[in-house]
Amino acid sequence: MCRLAAITSDKYFSPMDNVLALETMKEGHDGSGMGLAMKDLGGEFKGMKDLPVLSCICSKDGYPTLTEYMQKKGFVERHTWAPKTRPVAGIQGRDYYLAKVYEYPEQYRDREQSVKDDLLLRTRLELKRMGQADESIVVFSFYPDVIMLKEVGDPLALGEFFGLDKANIKAKIILAQGRQNTNYAINLYACHPFFLQGYGSMTNGENTAFVPIREYLTGRAHPGYTGYNSDSEVFTHILHYVVRQLGFPLTYFKDTITPLTLEEMAGRPDGDALRLIKSSLRMLTIDGPNCNIGFLPDGTTFMVQDAKKLRPGAVGGVPGRYALMSEECGVDAAVPRRDKDTDVFPMKYDMVIIPPGAKEIKVWNQLRAAS
Amino acid sequence: MEPAQSGLMNETDQNHQLTLKDFPYIVNWNDSRCKRCGRCTAVCPVRAISPGVVVRTQVTSEGATPEPVKQRSVVQVVKQSNEIDQYCVGCATCSLVCPNDAIEPQFNPNHRFLLFKNKGGDSYKRGGRRNDPSLSTIEQLKFTRISMLTDPALDAGRHEFRIRTYLGRVLPPEDLPVKVTGDTLGLIPNTFIPPVREIYPIMIGSMSVGALSPPMWEGLAMAVAYLNEEMGMPVAMATGEGGVPPRLLRSRYLKYFILQIASGYFGWDEIVHSLPHMVEDPLAIEIKYGQGAKPGDGGLLMAYKVLKLIAEIRGVPMGVDLASPPTHQTKYSIEEAVAKMIQSMSMAWGFRVPVFPKISGSNTAKSVLNNLARNPYAAALSIDGEDGGTGAAFNVSMDKMGHPIASNLRECYLDLVSQGKQNELPLIASGGVGKRGNLAANAAALFMLGASAVSIGKYIMQAAADCLGDEYNRCNLCNTGRCPRGITTQDPKLYRRLDSDRVAERIVDVFVSADTELRKIFAPMGRSTELPIGMSDGLSVADKAIAERLKINYVC
């Protein structure tokens, strides 16, 4: 089972906190990779929150291609962070791991965010296409205030490899996943978390409805609905589709992936709308077993389970720092000093929501449509 | 043995007579077991067997030395006719009534029946379905993606399953009339929302009052009501062309029925006149443009089935052939006429009832699909494949016309996928579902190829009322009104054999067991809260050409 470790805090913290939490949850063999999604960046990125950050891996051949392309498109480089990698047994390093901050091209600087978002997406997809055949460029995200870092290997070894314990890279929201690859070939693009235009998520388990969901999303005419090297990538895109594209409140993400029965909806004040959503978004229903943890552009984090609660999940912490983990021991590692009695283990109807700023945990109940 | 009376049999030249070897079924009659009760010859629906008398000569010798004595005796026998109009249909009703197991028809694989079954220039007409006993494509599909170690499979017995589907035009999410108020979605008032029904994904397909006997139709209707109201399974039943009994139109049970309008418009005078008296809307309206069993043909009810009740419901004189035209006479283009028909039917019920067309499987199905996809009032498309059944049709239409459902459905579904509309226009697949008795497996395979629902007809007659028909042309007398089981006849002497309560009970058995089997298929594949529509990665087939055509896995 993939290990999920998310921490949300009102203070900047190191991604090593997540890596150590992953380590406590380790069981059996696991070397297929780790992914980090860092949002609300601190450290050397603190003063550049409005500027897009390109998270990518390049070979020596790919680097000049990337630089030339970005220049041609009018992006002006402002800052570059590259981890100081150390040789670690079992990790095959690549040439460049980069997080590059750019100024928008001049003609875009005063445009609204949605136009900028589209530009960033198109640029990311084009870079991905250019480097896909020879893996000379691997791009994970291109978005303001977000860095993604992924590599194949054991999470703890990767933490050491990237020097995360010493790096000046911090964030207030970090999602980390140790991927125990069982279903697919090892591929960096299959490594969680996934990110699209401000929305990020990671999932464990198997998404049995992957094919119909993928086919439905690719028919939505959004260029970002592509990739799908992992069956879990669709969760991020469903989140993006429901909240960003359709404009629904976050709780309707839960109503989309695990809809209530018509009888259960009768008890909801928004039952009429729910009935319509259930039929219109039928193809996006999942069956699990899945635990899904994600974040929104505003910094809200959440955890949901499949409709049968076939995967564990634990959320706990103190005001100002909460951990959302696939197992309780991960919470212990991330926030050891807390009142464990207040830990939340979301059940089939629950959606755990931690508002921006990590001041409190809300448990929204799907049957009652209330926290 | 010689005939008791001299006649044709004494002539040396029987050159223009058929031999029994030319017939599809040869009756094995056991002289020594037969007690000459006459039940078999009385019950034979086609008079293929008749009592006969023969003279037997026996030479005996009882003394110590040979003293042959010739004895002649007159003996009663059961004879099989070699007249083409009295061919044995293999129904085996004779075996059913025989107290001593003395008689049984046997299939003759070397028969030459079709060479002769056109006496007087009258082409062979029959009921049933395509006479092809080979494995259909859907029968060859396997479910191969099983969750085990990668992730636990669901438990068919203990987990919650929701086996339901939608019938109706589903709005794309972008067009939903909803608005956000605070953290809640609400409906925008006074906006049109197409009617959508949540139903059980196995439907009972169109079989008309008239084609079916009163107890058969009554049994179906009782079972549908019971399944809906007692078992919580919202099974829908389509009426076929020819209307429904007026009492049903005015009852609360109408909500479980899909009224069919076909090219003869039979029964619609009564339906239209009942509109003001209806206490419930029908579940849906099906506009029949084609039928898988006989593409290019309209409905056909032979004169001897048009008795008083049927004539009244259909608004026609008794005892006349009721042949619906092959197409709707008002139909001159799909863009206008079909659209108008869908809108007219919708309007009749205030746009509260889904209206959808049914067509026969065809290379042109995608054209129809794309027209409907652009018509916001089209509620679904029902495609009936070549293995569908019928009460009456030309044999050539049944055997040689039509398109298999599997690839027709698949290409239609993938066409919708390419447009992102696979959830907007539900596809209903039929034609050979359960042909080999594997109702749940066939249905599940069709869901995974892209069907939102499947329809069954022939299967339910076989499973619930013991219909004798099969793909070796057994029985198939539906068109003649002489159904030996009393299923497709209007003759009280015959339909009294059928107990509507037992039919209803068996239908409930069929649906309850199919529901269990669907869970047994879906559970290891990890699907429970929604149908696995389009979950094609779960399917495989051991035939490369089929795998390529259906875009599924090849396994061997």
Side-chain angles (χ1 to χ4, degrees), chain A residues 206 208 220 241 280 308 311, chain B residues 151 171 174 420 423 526 528:
Chain A
E206 179 185 13
T208 52
R220 296 303 93 201
Y241 180 60
S280 288
K308 293 181 179 59
R311 279 281 181 266
Chain B
D151 285 293
L171 287 175
E174 292 81 2
N423 192 46
S528 63

Side-chain angles (χ1 to χ4, degrees), chain B residues 39-62:
Chain B
R39 291 184 191 180
C40 56
T41 52
V43 82
C44 178
V46 288
R47 296 183 184 166
I49 48 173
S50 56
V53 180
V54 292
V55 175
R56 283 184 185 157
T57 304
Q58 197 171 17
V59 179
T60 56
S61 173
E62 291 182 351

Side-chain angles (χ1 to χ4, degrees), chain A residues 18-93:
Chain A
N18 298 67
V19 174
L20 291 172
L22 283 181
E23 179 61 15
T24 62
M25 294 188 275
K26 180 176 179 178
E27 281 173 355
H29 68 89
D30 185 354
S32 64
M34 178 181 71
L36 289 169
M38 293 169 271
K39 178 179 164 56
D40 201 345
L41 303 173
E44 55 199 77
F45 292 90
K46 207 171 175 181
M48 296 176 279
K49 286 193 172 291
D50 293 334
L51 300 180
V53 187
L54 180 70
S55 302
C56 64
I57 299 174
C58 286
S59 69
K60 287 194 172 94
D61 291 340
Y63 188 77
T65 312
L66 178 135
T67 308
E68 188 186 339
Y69 179 80
M70 294 303 278
Q71 280 174 355
K72 199 173 95 188
K73 289 291 169 188
F75 286 101
V76 180
E77 200 174 309
R78 273 277 302 272
H79 181 73
T80 298
W81 173 79
K84 293 187 179 65
T85 57
R86 295 178 262 191
V88 173
I91 307 292
Q92 276 197 315

Side-chain angles (χ1 to χ4, degrees), chain B residues 330-363:
Chain B
T330 53
K331 188 181 74 182
Y332 54 90
S333 81
I334 189 164
E335 293 85 358
E336 293 177 42
V338 175
K340 280 177 188 163
M341 194 160 179
I342 291 172
Q343 275 171 284
S344 303
M345 300 310 296
S346 299
M347 202 181 299
W349 277 275
F351 292 87
R352 299 184 308 271
V353 176
V355 179
F356 66 92
K358 173 185 173 181
I359 61 168
S360 48
S362 159
N363 291 343

Side-chain angles (χ1 to χ4, degrees), chain B residues 201-206 238 286 382 384 428-433 453-457:
Chain B
I202 301 176
M203 301 156 61
I204 297 177
S206 299
E286 178 181 82
S382 176
D384 193 16
I428 303 164
S430 57
V433 180
V454 301
S455 271
I456 51 170

